């Protein structure tokens, strides 16, 4: 009698793993599309000047921008203001390239579709992304991100439209969509030493609502299912182990 339950638990765990890898692939595919469309904004670009791009029509509501820089200048001078990001001196990209592009993403109304939050959390601002790529071929697609890290002060992100709220937290997603929370500084700023996607969230005191199916494919509905599967999984696990 134990065996079917154990197999069910195993199956659910496998499903969970499969689901989270496919989530990560969805996110990687989105980053690749946005890199492509951000690069299209370059037309004989001047170094150090941001160019706003136009995302494909099926992703309207997202804002993208691209800024080409010499690695040396990024390291010695930083970028005082690139949209909501302030990049201090000391930022290093690896592997070394002579010029790099910083792609900016503002996911706007797509934030919860692509980056759903754990139950009980609510976004106070859209998800913003900052990702670094090699600038040697501005027609290139499917580029891998460079690794960038701030070797001195952190990069700061200011969410100007966010009013200081008690219990607000910064949320940070790495390139695989892994989530991490950090503290908000100066009421509406988040700090990071790495690239990724960022926003400010608050724990909503209201009981978490039933997952609402999203009109557009992707994260939201899936996460509801994921949470459901997960609790079923835990429940079965508990039948036998708790
Ligand atoms: C949106 O359009 C782009 C370009 O036509 C395409 O590559 C992509 O697969 C489409 N779908 C999504 C969800 O981005
Ligand atoms: C976001 O808004 C745009 C219009 O600005 C719309 O076309 C798009 O479907 C919306 N996306 C979502 C996920 O609601
Ligand atoms: C740049 O990338 C495009 C698209 O992948 C490719 O067709 C082209 O050959 C590349 N150019 C150089 C100089 O590598
Ligand atoms: C989250 O951030 C903390 C503090 O920087 C760090 O110690 C921890 O390893 C991070 N977790 C993940 C999953 O990246």
């Amino acid at each position: 009698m134990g065996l079917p339950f154990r197999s069910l638990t195993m199956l659910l765990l496998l499903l969970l793993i499969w689901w989270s890898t496919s989530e990560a692939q969805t996110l990687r595919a989105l980053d690749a599309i946005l890199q492509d469309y951000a690069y299209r904004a370059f037309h004989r670009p001047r170094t150090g000047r941001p160019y706003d791009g136009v995302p494909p029509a099926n992703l309207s509501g997202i804002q993208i921008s691209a800024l080409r820089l010499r690695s040396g200048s990024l390291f010695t001078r930083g970028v005082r203001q690139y949209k909501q990001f302030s990049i201090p001196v000391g930022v290093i990209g690896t592997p070394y390239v002579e010029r790099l592009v910083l792609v900016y993403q503002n996911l706007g109304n797509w934030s919860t579709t692509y980056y759903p939050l754990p139950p009980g959390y609510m976004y106070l601002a859209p998800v913003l992304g900052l990702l670094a790529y090699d600038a040697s071929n501005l027609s290139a697609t499917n580029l891998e991100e460079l690794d960038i890290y701030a070797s001195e002060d952190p990069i700061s992100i200011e969410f100007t439209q966010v009013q200081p709220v008690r219990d607000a937290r910064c949320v940070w997603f790495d390139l695989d969509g892994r989530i991490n929370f950090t503290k908000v500084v100066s009421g509406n700023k988040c700090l990071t030493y790495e690239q990724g996607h960022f926003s400010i969230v608050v724990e909503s005191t209201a009981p978490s609502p039933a997952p609402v199916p999203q009109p557009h494919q992707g994260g939201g509905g899936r996460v509801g299912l994921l949470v459901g599967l997960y609790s079923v999984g835990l429940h079965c696990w508990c039948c036998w182990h708790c």
Side-chain angles (χ1 to χ4, degrees):
M1 163 119 177
L3 216 61
F5 273 104
R6 271 165 205 268
S7 322
L8 184 61
T9 308
M10 258 339 262
L11 185 69
L12 286 170
L13 286 176
L14 283 175
L15 254 172
L16 244 183
I17 292 164
W18 175 79
W19 232 291
S20 48
T21 11
S22 83
E23 276 298 322
Q25 280 166 0
T26 306
L27 296 177
R28 301 312 299 142
L30 177 68
D31 288 336
I33 291 171
L34 297 180
Q35 176 266 310
D36 178 2
Y37 280 76
Y39 269 45
R40 294 181 195 195
F42 285 138
H43 177 69
R44 295 212 241 135
R46 274 199 276 154
T47 302
R49 224 194 105 177
Y51 291 84
D52 288 343
V54 180
N58 60 4
L59 292 172
S60 82
I62 293 183
Q63 291 167 37
I64 48 178
S65 198
L67 171 66
R68 194 173 67 133
L69 294 169
R70 287 177 167 275
S71 290
S73 141
L74 177 63
F75 182 78
T76 57
R77 285 194 267 168
V79 181
R80 186 176 305 171
Q81 203 68 52
Y82 178 32
K83 307 288 181 183
Q84 291 92 334
F85 290 84
S86 304
I87 303 170
V89 299
V91 173
I92 299 171
T94 50
Y96 175 82
V97 293
E98 196 186 340
R99 287 189 182 79
L100 48 75
V101 173
L102 296 176
V103 169
Y104 164 87
Q105 309 173 354
N106 179 337
L107 296 187
N109 61 341
W110 293 87
S111 299
T112 49
T113 308
Y114 281 100
Y115 290 91
L117 289 168
Y121 287 93
M122 202 175 73
Y123 280 117
L124 297 181
V127 170
L128 305 180
L130 185 73
L131 303 177
Y133 299 93
D134 187 352
S136 62
N137 181 355
L138 296 179
S139 325
T141 54
N142 283 314
L143 283 176
E144 284 234 15
E145 288 78 11
L146 302 169
D147 249 328
I148 53 163
Y149 69 97
S151 64
E152 295 178 22
D153 292 331
I155 296 166
S156 78
I157 309 133
E158 185 171 9
F159 294 89
T160 40
Q161 73 281 40
V162 172
Q163 302 298 316
V165 177
R166 212 163 50 90
D167 299 333
R169 294 161 91 190
C170 291
V171 64
W172 159 52
F173 299 91
D174 71 12
L175 295 185
D176 293 316
R178 277 189 299 257
I179 195 167
N180 204 347
F181 294 97
T182 57
K183 68 174 197 295
V184 175
V185 298
S186 317
N188 64 2
K189 286 186 187 165
C190 297
L191 302 178
T192 180
Y193 288 89
E194 293 176 43
Q195 64 194 331
H197 292 85
F198 310 90
S199 188
I200 293 188
V201 299
V202 70
E203 250 177 294
S204 47
T205 42
S208 62
V212 179
Q214 303 269 323
H216 293 269
Q217 81 300 341
R222 272 201 204 158
V223 157
L225 187 52
L226 192 68
V227 169
L229 280 174
Y230 190 63
S231 46
V232 173
L234 275 184
H235 187 78
C236 292
W237 182 260
C238 281
C239 297
W240 295 98
H241 298 90
C242 298

